[in-house]
Amino acid sequence: MARRIALGALGAAPLRVSGLTRMTSIDFPGQLAAVVFCQGCPWRCGYCHNPDLLDATAPAAMAWGEVLAFLQQRQGLLDAVVFSGGEPLLQPGLPTALQEVRALGFATGLHTGGMYPERLAAVLPHLDWVGLDIKAPEGDYARITATPGSGAKAFAGLQCLLASGVDFECRTTWHPGLFPFADLLALGRSLQAQGVRQWAVQQCRSPDAAAWCWTAGQQEALAQGWHGFTLRTA
């Protein structure tokens, strides 16, 4: 049964919150959820659709205690809370925030780029679902994130998820100017071979992104062999 807790009762550094979506049906599969946006991200992807969240030194938009107070009022009305960003794993307050949310009776979700595999492994026991961004084949990562070594970190995060048993989805934001369709298809096959069951290909929303021009054969090839596959248009 859901219960009340004292705000900040677990005593860690508070989460730095840059925004709150109070209800969504699309950010945690099958659940009505609130989304907590966390400030700061170490990567600089050119198509980032939350650039205002990149600066880790920017002041928080609201206190974590305000978020908890809101969630206490939504017990029995919402199913889950998703931590997004930015990059939530950047913040030392995330583990305690997850525990506080679970103590209120909510399922917990995380949107992450997987760039801190050790931190991801540490919070997986407190998570019910993860959306992991797999941005590209490993060799293309640094060009997309402007961060050397980022591909190795992301794929190490994927291995943590595969070993954990926590439900998750991989998703890849793509347009033809990032890397060729053949590489996108090969990426999907590689993820399948590693044991990934859910994959979403998301249309890039940046103004300079090349348009999607799918053929029926390309869509069929991408979807082949998945337990769950989704094309998400902008």
Side-chain angles (χ1 to χ4, degrees):
M1 178 182 295
R3 62 186 179 87
R4 291 188 173 272
I5 60 172
L7 301 186
L10 297 177
L15 202 72
R16 299 184 64 249
V17 179
S18 56
L20 175 67
T21 296
R22 295 174 182 267
M23 188 177 72
T24 171
S25 62
I26 62 174
D27 287 277
F28 191 125
Q31 305 287 329
L32 285 178
V35 182
V36 178
F37 291 93
C38 301
Q39 189 69 38
C41 181
W43 291 353
R44 294 296 180 266
C45 304
Y47 55 71
C48 179
H49 64 276
N50 284 330
D52 53 321
L53 305 187
L54 295 178
D55 183 3
T57 66
M62 63 190 306
W64 173 238
E66 293 179 64
V67 177
L68 283 178
F70 163 75
L71 292 175
Q72 287 180 337
Q73 296 170 3
R74 293 301 185 272
Q75 288 173 292
L77 301 174
L78 293 175
D79 306 308
V81 179
V82 177
F83 293 83
S84 189
E87 176 49 61
L89 292 171
L90 183 66
Q91 298 202 28
L94 179 64
T96 294
L98 289 168
Q99 293 175 65
E100 290 179 318
V101 165
R102 273 198 163 175
L104 290 171
F106 297 103
T108 51
L110 175 70
H111 293 172
T112 180
M115 67 274 286
Y116 298 107
E118 297 86 0
R119 298 182 191 180
L120 177 59
V123 299
L124 282 171
H126 309 299
L127 286 165
D128 299 292
W129 178 82
V130 175
L132 175 67
D133 291 330
I134 295 293
K135 297 179 180 294
E138 186 172 335
D140 287 319
Y141 251 81
R143 178 172 53 81
I144 291 173
T145 66
T147 308
S150 53
K153 293 290 189 182
F155 281 92
L158 172 59
Q159 293 307 310
C160 290
L161 269 171
L162 288 166
S164 72
V166 174
D167 190 24
F168 74 98
E169 170 193 85
C170 287
R171 54 269 190 96
T172 302
T173 299
W174 181 80
H175 69 79
L178 292 173
F179 50 90
F181 175 82
D183 291 352
L184 178 66
L185 183 59
L187 174 61
R189 296 289 181 263
S190 174
L191 294 175
Q192 283 181 344
Q194 293 177 71
V196 177
R197 292 166 55 82
Q198 305 278 346
W199 188 38
V201 176
Q202 305 178 149
Q203 186 173 12
C204 188
R205 293 185 286 177
S206 63
D208 59 346
W212 272 8
C213 296
W214 300 104
T215 68
Q218 286 176 323
Q219 293 186 43
E220 183 178 350
L222 280 176
Q224 185 176 359
W226 289 101
H227 177 77
F229 175 78
T230 306
L231 283 178
R232 295 188 181 132
T233 57

